[in-house]
């Protein structure tokens, strides 16, 4: 099996697939956000910058990323989340890391994503996400987490305006990254709509 880089617009279902790979096959999930938060625990200047919303340079992120990956045994399988975000990061990653990976682009139309985002409710405790109107993702009791029994909440940034802003920024930045992997023949484009089990079967074919 191969490590996986998911490239996906917000709400395209990256989290669901990542969870599946972690739980079922012991993949290590490495996200840029987690790396920065972890670093902030040990380094006050990083904590300050993180709190102020300052951006971290590509090289800083890559360095953290490299240290993290190299701290695992060679045969570890990874799911990468939030990296590479730019063409520079994509090119550099290949230089600094020796990995066998595949890039999966979760392609979902803007309208469907918007519908997902606007109906999304999250458990504040376990972070499981549900949907108010999609039958497959409704909680057993309306407004309550199946696992924790507490009230589900909407994310503050799950508004139409915030979504469209994130989505447009995403497309703009990711286009060159997609082209890069497409040229290298490493890109699998994956339509993430339809029946869950079929999508999982497809995913397994791709990463084996
Ligand atoms: Zn919960």
């Amino acid at each position: 099996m191969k490590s996986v880089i998911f490239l996906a617009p917000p709400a395209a279902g990256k989290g669901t697939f990542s969870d599946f790979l972690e739980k079922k096959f012991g993949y290590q999930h490495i996200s840029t956000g987690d790396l920065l938060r972890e670093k902030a625990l040990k380094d006050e200047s990083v904590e300050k910058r993180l709190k102020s919303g300052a951006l971290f340079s590509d090289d800083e992120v890559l360095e953290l990323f490299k240290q993290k990956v190299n701290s695992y045994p060679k045969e570890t399988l990874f799911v990468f989340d939030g990296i590479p975000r730019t063409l520079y990061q994509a090119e550099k990653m290949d230089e600094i890391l020796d990995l066998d990976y595949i890039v999966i682009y979760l392609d979902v139309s803007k309208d469907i994503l918007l519908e997902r985002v606007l109906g999304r409710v999250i458990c504040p405790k376990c972070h499981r996400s549900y949907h108010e109107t999609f039958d497959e993702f409704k909680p057993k009791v309306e407004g309550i987490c199946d696992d924790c029994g507490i009230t589900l909440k909407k994310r503050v940034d799950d508004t139409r305006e915030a979504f469209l802003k994130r989505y447009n920024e995403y497309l703009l930045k990711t286009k060159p990254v997609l082209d890069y992997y497409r040229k290298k023949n490493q890109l699998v484009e994956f339509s993430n709509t339809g029946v869950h089990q079929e999508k999982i079967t497809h995913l397994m074919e791709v990463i084996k």
Side-chain angles (χ1 to χ4, degrees):
M1 290 172 87
K2 289 178 177 158
S3 288
V4 176
I5 292 173
F6 279 119
L7 295 176
K14 200 169 55 179
T16 311
F17 283 122
S18 301
D19 278 356
F20 172 78
L21 291 176
E22 278 176 76
K23 289 187 182 131
K24 184 104 179 170
F25 300 104
Y27 272 70
Q28 288 294 330
H29 181 242
I30 297 195
S31 94
T32 313
D34 289 346
L35 282 182
L36 289 172
R37 280 185 290 272
E38 203 175 285
K39 178 84 176 162
L41 291 176
K42 294 178 233 151
D43 185 334
E44 218 173 294
S45 67
V46 173
E47 190 191 359
K48 268 193 198 142
R49 286 169 65 199
L50 203 59
K51 276 190 182 156
S52 73
L55 294 175
F56 289 81
S57 75
D58 282 346
D59 285 319
E60 285 176 298
V61 172
L62 284 162
E63 183 54 36
L64 279 178
F65 183 69
K66 181 178 158 188
Q67 285 170 12
K68 187 75 179 175
V69 168
N70 288 338
S71 73
Y72 289 96
K74 185 93 182 73
E75 62 280 8
T76 307
L77 293 166
F78 297 99
V79 186
F80 299 120
D81 183 353
I83 191 166
R85 193 153 276 174
T86 61
L87 179 58
Y88 177 81
Q89 285 183 354
E91 289 171 342
K92 208 74 182 171
M93 254 180 80
D94 286 336
E95 276 173 44
I96 62 174
L97 293 171
D98 176 24
L99 282 173
D100 187 18
Y101 65 90
I102 188 150
V103 184
I104 299 180
Y105 178 58
L106 298 177
D107 189 11
V108 181
S109 80
K110 188 158 85 176
D111 291 343
I112 292 179
L113 291 174
L114 187 59
E115 205 183 337
R116 282 186 190 170
V117 162
L118 296 181
R120 176 158 67 181
V121 277
I122 312 258
C123 172
K125 193 170 167 212
C126 71
H127 306 293
R128 182 166 164 194
S129 92
Y130 296 87
H131 198 277
E132 291 173 328
T133 52
F134 295 166
D135 283 337
E136 211 182 336
F137 298 103
K138 273 186 190 168
K140 291 193 183 104
V141 179
E142 196 184 327
I144 304 289
C145 176
D146 292 354
D147 303 323
C148 312
I150 59 176
T151 307
L152 300 170
K153 292 212 160 75
K154 283 195 180 285
R155 279 171 40 169
V156 284
D157 53 349
D158 276 350
T159 62
R160 179 181 298 267
E161 295 70 32
F163 167 77
L164 290 175
K165 188 161 176 260
R166 290 204 300 272
Y167 181 81
N168 290 330
E169 270 173 16
Y170 177 83
L171 283 194
L172 205 66
K173 275 198 195 148
T174 312
K175 178 83 172 55
V177 179
L178 287 177
D179 291 343
Y180 172 73
Y181 288 124
R182 205 174 273 133
K183 264 187 222 140
K184 286 177 73 202
N185 267 329
Q186 257 174 317
L187 187 72
V188 179
E189 304 194 44
F190 201 105
S191 164
N192 193 18
T193 47
V195 183
H196 184 67
Q197 193 48 52
E198 284 173 12
K199 291 183 293 191
I200 291 294
T201 308
H202 184 188
L203 177 69
M204 296 316 300
E205 281 165 10
V206 167
I207 61 172
K208 75 173 179 225

